[in-house]
């Protein structure tokens, strides 16, 4: 924890973010690479989303740039949530209890590890299992509202275009806001939540053993490779999920797989 804090104290952006909330601060203290990991996920998400949007819209890419921006906003919110919620959390003195006046549930939540593989102190199995369920619910909610915001912006843009130009026809069917958000949230809360638990477990427990005494660049490269692999794995799961739920037609799902990289 102190090592992570020392690393981040030398970074102006990290120092500012650590003052946002105790949750942000405790994650920065627990993981010296959290800024790097966030950068990886945002880069993968934005590049994947822009590439998929360009392929989908082609000549209309810039004409429909408001739609593109709305979809990128959804991806960015999801990427931040996927780094933040499963990240290891430093347990500071007195912080784990959640305060003397906290409810039983609040104390249990404060006592949970950031992910089921966190080993900074002994956690009962019940708390580890509870942490998984809690993180899944957090990502479900984050995914629901991220997608709700994105689809609402898109639908608002469509309505504005149709009002300003009655001759303009939307080439894509209007999305069902609640259905779209619910399906997106389910994918984020189940597939992505479980995969990112595993990713954090490998980074926190396996990498330190394998890379002890090696230059820091090796760990950076391994983290990048792991998260690239996770994005590819997630895109394959998205294809299956999209076909099963009808999010995309079967013929469209492979082409849209890159979007799962953006949504992880």
């Amino acid at each position: 924890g102190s090592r992570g804090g020392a690393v981040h104290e030398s970074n102006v952006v990290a120092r500012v973010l650590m003052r946002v909330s105790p949750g942000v601060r405790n994650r920065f203290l627990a993981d010296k690479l959290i800024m790097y990991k966030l950068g990886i996920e945002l880069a993968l998400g934005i590049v994947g989303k822009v590439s998929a949007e360009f392929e989908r819209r082609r000549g209309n890419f810039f004409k429909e740039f408001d739609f593109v921006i709305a979809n990128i906003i959804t991806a960015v919110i999801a990427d931040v949530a996927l780094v933040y919620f499963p990240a290891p959390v430093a347990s500071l003195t007195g912080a784990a209890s959640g305060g003397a006046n906290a409810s039983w549930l609040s104390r249990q939540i404060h006592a949970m590890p950031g992910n089921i593989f966190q080993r900074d102190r002994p956690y009962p199995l019940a708390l580890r299992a509870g942490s998984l369920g809690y993180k899944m619910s957090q990502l479900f909610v984050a995914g629901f509202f991220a997608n709700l915001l994105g689809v609402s912006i898109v639908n608002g843009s469509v309505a504005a275009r149709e009002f300003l130009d009655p001759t303009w026809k939307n080439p894509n069917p209007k999305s069902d806001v609640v259905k779209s958000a619910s399906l997106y949230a389910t994918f984020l809360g189940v597939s992505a939540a479980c995969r990112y638990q595993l990713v954090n477990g490998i980074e926190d427990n396996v990498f330190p053993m394998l890379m002890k005494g090696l230059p820091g660049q090796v760990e950076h490269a391994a983290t990048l490779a792991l998260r690239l692999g996770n994005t590819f794995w997630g895109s394959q799961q998205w294809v299956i999920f999209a076909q099963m739920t009808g999010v995309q037609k079967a013929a469209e799902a492979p082409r849209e797989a890159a979007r799962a990289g953006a949504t992880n």
Side-chain angles (χ1 to χ4, degrees):
S2 59
R3 183 175 58 154
V7 170
H8 295 306
E9 280 299 321
S10 64
N11 185 307
V12 175
V13 177
R15 286 206 307 269
V16 172
L17 291 175
M18 287 173 71
R19 288 170 174 78
V20 170
S21 74
V24 175
R25 178 198 63 207
N26 293 348
R27 284 166 171 80
F28 273 68
L29 290 174
D31 187 354
K32 69 182 188 298
L33 293 182
I34 192 167
M35 286 283 288
Y36 175 66
K37 293 169 184 177
L38 180 59
I40 291 174
E41 296 296 340
L42 287 174
L44 290 174
I46 293 171
V47 170
K49 178 65 75 175
V50 171
S51 299
E53 291 290 335
F54 184 78
E55 181 186 351
R56 180 182 178 188
R57 301 181 191 279
R58 296 289 183 176
N60 293 323
F61 181 80
F62 290 104
K63 293 179 183 177
E64 300 176 356
F65 201 64
D66 47 344
F67 298 159
V68 176
I69 292 298
N71 289 328
I72 289 174
I73 289 171
T74 303
V76 167
I77 294 173
D79 287 329
V80 171
L82 286 165
V83 173
Y84 180 81
F85 289 124
V89 180
S91 298
L92 303 182
T93 304
S97 66
N101 298 321
S103 66
W104 177 86
L105 180 59
S106 178
R107 290 197 300 271
Q108 296 305 305
I109 290 172
H110 277 83
M112 288 176 183
N115 61 74
I116 59 174
F117 300 107
Q118 188 170 333
R119 294 196 307 168
D120 61 318
R121 59 191 175 91
Y123 294 96
L125 182 59
L127 278 183
R128 291 187 184 277
S131 174
L132 175 60
Y134 184 56
K135 300 303 175 182
M136 291 174 75
S137 68
Q138 285 180 317
L139 287 171
F140 180 92
V141 172
F144 185 89
F145 284 105
N147 190 265
L148 189 69
L149 175 63
V151 173
S152 296
I153 293 173
V154 168
N155 287 348
S157 295
V158 168
R161 283 169 180 261
E162 290 174 342
F163 177 77
L164 295 171
D165 182 7
T167 63
W168 182 80
K169 299 296 181 185
N170 182 17
N172 302 304
K174 193 172 181 179
S175 299
D176 180 327
V177 178
V178 175
K179 179 182 178 182
S180 174
S182 298
L183 291 173
Y184 182 86
T186 299
F187 184 79
L188 212 66
V190 178
S191 168
C194 292
R195 285 184 289 106
Y196 277 86
Q197 291 277 329
L198 183 59
V199 165
N200 277 275
I202 293 171
E203 289 173 341
D204 296 343
N205 300 302
V206 178
F207 284 179
M209 289 190 297
L210 295 179
M211 299 169 196
K212 190 174 182 180
L214 296 176
Q217 292 86 344
V218 176
E219 186 177 1
H220 281 71
T223 299
L224 175 61
L226 177 64
R227 288 180 177 262
L228 276 169
N230 176 55
T231 296
F232 177 77
W233 187 22
S235 72
Q236 304 311 302
Q237 293 186 14
W238 175 257
V239 170
I240 298 170
F241 181 79
Q243 292 176 350
M244 288 176 59
T245 60
V247 175
Q248 284 117 22
K249 295 177 183 178
E252 294 177 341
R255 187 190 65 183
E256 295 286 329
R259 298 180 69 183
T263 58
N264 292 299

